[in-house]
């Protein structure tokens, strides 16, 4: 039994170490996701020109950049001023990606709660934040192409450009990065929930035994009903010494008196006291 408990304890120590290592990796990927999310948010490389395009330019969530004749890059658009963003689709996508980045920043701040709260609670909170961030990023990637029918987009991509129609343009790396981040967010959220579920104690049998032993320590086994019954049975099986001595006296007295009457001696007629 002692050897089994020792093996269980060793397994528990190894499990805790592995769990902590995976949690550290999860935290590192969470920080990386937040950085990449911010990069995808500020970069105007969601949609760009090709060799067939009418003009050279790039489109981001809220910025429109055109390449001038001298090779200079001119960008217009400000996230803090929604009137400078091309259309409602780009505004909605900008807002959703910004919310996604903000949720992951909050998740990073929540990592400090490991010093104050249980690990399972912190992981669940971060998991929900990451799940919501992934949903926001996914909706943004679906909504953004619906704004490609804008006049400024068609000025670069041609009249063939429209809702969910690229025309003579192509998807750039920031848009592809955002699509990858959707799956990354869901994977991190699932991993957070998995780690939170595994934070439960893996030694239920040993804990139950300890609780049982501690509970039994407050009860004296000699005063239980079972032990009292055993004591009653033992006491009933013991001989009654006083009654047995009385019977022995009576028998011995009768025999002595009979012998004394036959011999006629009065000395034998007296009772012999034991």
């Amino acid at each position: 039994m002692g050897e089994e408990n020792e093996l269980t304890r060793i397994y528990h120590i190894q499990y805790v170490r592995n769990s902590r290592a995976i949690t550290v990796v999860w935290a590192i990927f969470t920080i990386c996701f937040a950085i990449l999310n911010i990069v995808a948010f500020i970069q105007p490389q969601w949609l760009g020109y090709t060799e067939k395009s009418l003009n050279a330019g790039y489109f981001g969530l809220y910025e429109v950049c055109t390449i001038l004749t001298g090779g200079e890059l001119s960008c217009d658009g400000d996230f803090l001023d929604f009137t400078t963003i091309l259309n409602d689709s780009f505004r909605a996508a900008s807002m959703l990606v910004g919310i996604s980045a903000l949720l992951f920043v909050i998740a990073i701040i929540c990592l400090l709660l490991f010093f104050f709260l249980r690990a399972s609670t912190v992981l669940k909170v971060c998991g929900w934040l990451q799940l919501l961030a992934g949903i926001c990023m996914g909706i943004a990637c679906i909504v953004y192409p619906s704004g490609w029918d804008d006049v400024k987009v068609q000025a670069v991509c041609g009249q063939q450009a429209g809702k969910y129609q690229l025309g003579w343009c192509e998807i750039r790396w920031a848009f592809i990065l955002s699509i990858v981040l959707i799956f990354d967010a869901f994977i991190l959220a699932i991993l957070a929930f998995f780690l939170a579920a595994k934070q439960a104690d893996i030694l239920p049998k040993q804990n139950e035994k300890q609780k049982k032993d501690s509970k039994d320590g407050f009860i004296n086994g000699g005063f239980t009903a079972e032990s009292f019954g055993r004591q009653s049975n033992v006491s009933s099986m013991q001989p009654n010494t006083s009654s047995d001595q009385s019977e022995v006296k009576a028998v011995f007295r009768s025999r002595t008196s009979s012998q004394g009457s036959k011999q006629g001696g009065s000395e034998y007629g007296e009772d012999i006291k034991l």
Side-chain angles (χ1 to χ4, degrees):
M1 190 67 182
E3 184 178 355
E4 182 180 356
N5 292 335
E6 182 66 20
L7 292 175
T8 306
R9 188 182 66 83
I10 295 173
Y11 172 75
H12 176 70
I13 294 173
Q14 293 178 350
Y15 172 82
V16 170
R17 290 177 179 175
N18 294 334
S19 179
R20 289 178 179 176
I22 297 174
T23 303
V24 171
V25 173
W26 168 84
I28 293 173
F29 277 105
T30 298
I31 297 173
C32 293
F33 181 97
I35 296 173
L36 294 176
N37 196 339
I38 295 173
V39 170
F41 175 73
I42 63 178
Q43 284 295 323
Q45 293 286 341
W46 284 60
L47 182 67
Y49 72 99
T50 61
E51 295 179 355
K52 296 181 180 181
S53 298
L54 300 177
N55 295 294
Y58 304 99
F59 300 93
L61 291 172
Y62 55 87
E63 279 187 320
V64 178
C65 298
T66 56
I67 299 177
L68 303 178
T69 54
E72 297 181 358
L73 189 64
S74 175
C75 296
D76 296 325
D78 186 2
F79 178 73
L80 299 179
D81 186 3
F82 269 29
T83 59
T84 60
I85 302 177
L86 287 183
N87 50 58
D88 293 337
S89 298
F90 281 28
R91 295 188 189 99
S94 301
M95 180 63 68
L96 290 170
V97 176
I99 292 173
S100 176
L102 179 61
L103 289 173
F104 259 84
V105 172
I106 295 174
I108 294 174
I109 297 174
C110 288
L111 295 178
L112 299 176
L113 297 177
F114 276 111
F115 298 101
F116 308 101
L117 300 176
R118 295 178 58 184
S120 59
T121 303
V122 179
L123 288 169
K124 288 179 181 179
V125 172
C126 294
W128 282 111
L129 292 174
Q130 292 170 344
L131 183 62
L132 292 175
I135 293 173
C136 290
M137 183 67 76
I139 297 174
C141 292
I142 295 173
V143 171
Y144 182 77
S146 64
W148 290 347
D149 59 347
D150 191 88
V151 176
K152 289 188 177 181
V153 176
Q154 291 179 347
V156 176
C157 302
Q159 295 297 325
Q160 295 84 356
K163 291 185 177 181
Y164 301 97
Q165 298 292 329
L166 286 171
W168 289 341
C169 290
E170 64 180 3
I171 294 175
R172 292 299 178 115
W173 63 268
F175 198 172
I176 298 173
L177 176 61
S178 299
I179 296 174
V180 173
L181 290 178
I182 297 172
F183 299 98
D184 189 13
F186 287 135
I187 292 173
L188 289 175
I190 294 172
L191 182 59
F193 291 131
F194 178 78
L195 291 174
K198 289 297 183 180
Q199 292 298 317
D201 191 7
I202 64 170
L203 299 175
K205 295 183 179 179
Q206 185 173 354
N207 287 343
E208 289 178 2
K209 183 178 181 300
Q210 292 177 354
K211 291 179 180 179
K212 184 178 179 181
D213 294 340
S214 62
K215 183 177 180 181
D216 293 342
F218 294 101
I219 301 175
N220 190 349
F223 292 97
T224 59
E226 183 179 358
S227 60
F228 181 76
R230 292 175 180 174
Q231 291 178 359
S232 300
N233 294 332
V234 172
S235 62
S236 62
M237 294 174 62
Q238 292 178 353
N240 193 342
T241 308
S242 60
S243 61
D244 291 346
Q245 289 179 355
S246 300
E247 292 178 359
V248 171
K249 287 180 179 181
V251 173
F252 190 77
R253 187 183 301 114
S254 62
R255 290 181 179 178
T256 306
S257 60
S258 61
Q259 290 178 0
S261 61
K262 290 180 180 180
Q263 295 177 359
S266 60
E267 57 181 352
Y268 296 105
E270 297 181 355
D271 293 338
I272 300 175
K273 296 180 180 180
L274 295 175

